Amino acid sequence: MTQQPDIRAQAKQFYDAQNYEEAGRLYHQLWDEQADAFSGGRYAYCLRKAGYAHAALTVAREVYGKHPDDIHVCREVVWALYEAECKPAKRQGDLGALLRAGQQILDLTDEELPVRLVSFAVIGLAKDKMKWDVVSAWCDQLDRQGLSEEPREMGGRRVISERAQWYFAKVKSLIQLQQWDEARDLALEACEAFPRKEDFARWA
């Protein structure tokens, strides 16, 4: 046990230097020996940052099973789910898998960033597959007033803001679902927020 402070200090040095392979090896040792939430969470984090998303998820779930009240461990499960299951499902066009992983994230957290990322991932793929009930339901996971109005840079090009993206998805889904009153109200609201976007006026 006298060596533990040295191992922990070494692990932190590697972690601070972003050498996640070596840091993870040492946090793994600490987790095996002590089974504390901090070491387990750091071990899962290092696995994820080193590119082992599925292993990170397995470890994070194991740690969370022993320390379900630790918010940092819970966050690690959320981000491991996002990396290991949400991203691949979106790339592969597997809406069912994305919905399952996304729902697990919503069940674990209400923090803004992961909820926003997974919701837009589901909305985008569901739009591609014309699953308008799914689009509408996942738009409702987001507070549109909390979304940025500023255009973004993606892949070297300028794209519409997240709030405008939300209005496009929600209004179109409501039209497809023939929910006319709500669609018109939101289209008019979008017209005021984005007067240069002609689609909103046309939909209204």
Side-chain angles (χ1 to χ4, degrees), residues 27-62:
Y27 283 122
H28 184 185
Q29 180 179 339
L30 290 166
W31 166 245
D32 283 348
E33 293 173 355
Q34 299 182 4
D36 62 303
F38 181 83
S39 297
R42 278 286 174 91
Y43 174 35
Y45 178 92
C46 290
L47 284 170
R48 178 166 61 85
K49 287 296 187 178
Y52 306 110
H54 288 282
L57 180 56
T58 298
V59 170
R61 282 174 164 159
E62 179 186 350

Side-chain angles (χ1 to χ4, degrees), residues 82-103:
Y82 184 70
E83 292 290 335
E85 297 189 1
C86 289
K87 281 186 172 181
K90 188 174 189 321
R91 282 196 304 269
Q92 295 160 13
D94 188 339
L95 182 58
L98 181 56
L99 286 169
R100 287 190 293 274
Q103 188 59 56

Side-chain angles (χ1 to χ4, degrees), residues 44 56-66 73 77 81 85 104:
L57 180 56
T58 298
V59 170
R61 282 174 164 159
E62 179 186 350
V63 180
Y64 185 66
K66 293 185 177 180
V73 172
V77 177
L81 269 167
E85 297 189 1
Q104 288 180 65

Side-chain angles (χ1 to χ4, degrees), residues 3-201:
Q3 293 182 338
Q4 292 303 327
D6 292 336
I7 293 174
R8 200 168 289 280
Q10 277 187 318
K12 186 178 186 305
Q13 286 180 345
F14 284 128
Y15 178 88
D16 290 344
Q18 298 183 5
N19 184 342
Y20 297 117
E21 294 272 2
E22 288 301 316
R25 181 177 60 80
L26 293 176
Y27 283 122
H28 184 185
Q29 180 179 339
L30 290 166
W31 166 245
D32 283 348
E33 293 173 355
Q34 299 182 4
D36 62 303
F38 181 83
S39 297
R42 278 286 174 91
Y43 174 35
Y45 178 92
C46 290
L47 284 170
R48 178 166 61 85
K49 287 296 187 178
Y52 306 110
H54 288 282
L57 180 56
T58 298
V59 170
R61 282 174 164 159
E62 179 186 350
V63 180
Y64 185 66
K66 293 185 177 180
H67 302 281
D69 297 325
D70 190 289
I71 184 63
H72 301 291
V73 172
C74 181
R75 284 175 180 151
E76 202 47 53
V77 177
V78 166
W79 288 114
L81 269 167
Y82 184 70
E83 292 290 335
E85 297 189 1
C86 289
K87 281 186 172 181
K90 188 174 189 321
R91 282 196 304 269
Q92 295 160 13
D94 188 339
L95 182 58
L98 181 56
L99 286 169
R100 287 190 293 274
Q103 188 59 56
Q104 288 180 65
I105 288 175
L106 293 188
D107 291 343
L108 285 165
T109 187
D110 59 1
E111 292 186 342
E112 186 272 338
L113 181 57
V115 170
R116 174 165 52 85
L117 289 175
V118 73
S119 295
F120 273 121
V122 171
I123 290 164
L125 185 54
K127 277 179 62 182
D128 291 344
K129 294 181 176 295
M130 294 187 288
K131 300 293 186 181
W132 300 110
D133 55 335
V134 176
V135 173
S136 181
W138 281 76
C139 281
D140 292 344
Q141 300 295 336
L142 299 169
D143 173 14
R144 62 185 177 278
Q145 302 304 331
L147 299 173
S148 173
E149 291 182 285
E150 297 301 316
R152 301 159 292 151
E153 293 287 335
M154 289 184 66
R157 61 190 181 90
R158 199 169 174 84
V159 298
I160 63 172
S161 71
E162 286 186 336
R163 192 181 300 185
Q165 184 182 349
W166 184 93
Y167 277 118
F168 273 112
K170 183 65 176 180
V171 174
K172 187 167 184 180
S173 69
L174 290 171
I175 290 171
Q176 294 294 329
L177 296 169
Q178 299 184 18
Q179 296 178 19
W180 308 119
D181 291 341
E182 189 180 354
R184 178 168 167 78
D185 288 345
L186 275 178
L188 290 171
E189 183 181 304
C191 284
E192 290 187 16
F194 302 98
R196 294 184 179 180
K197 303 293 184 186
E198 296 180 357
D199 283 335
F200 295 136

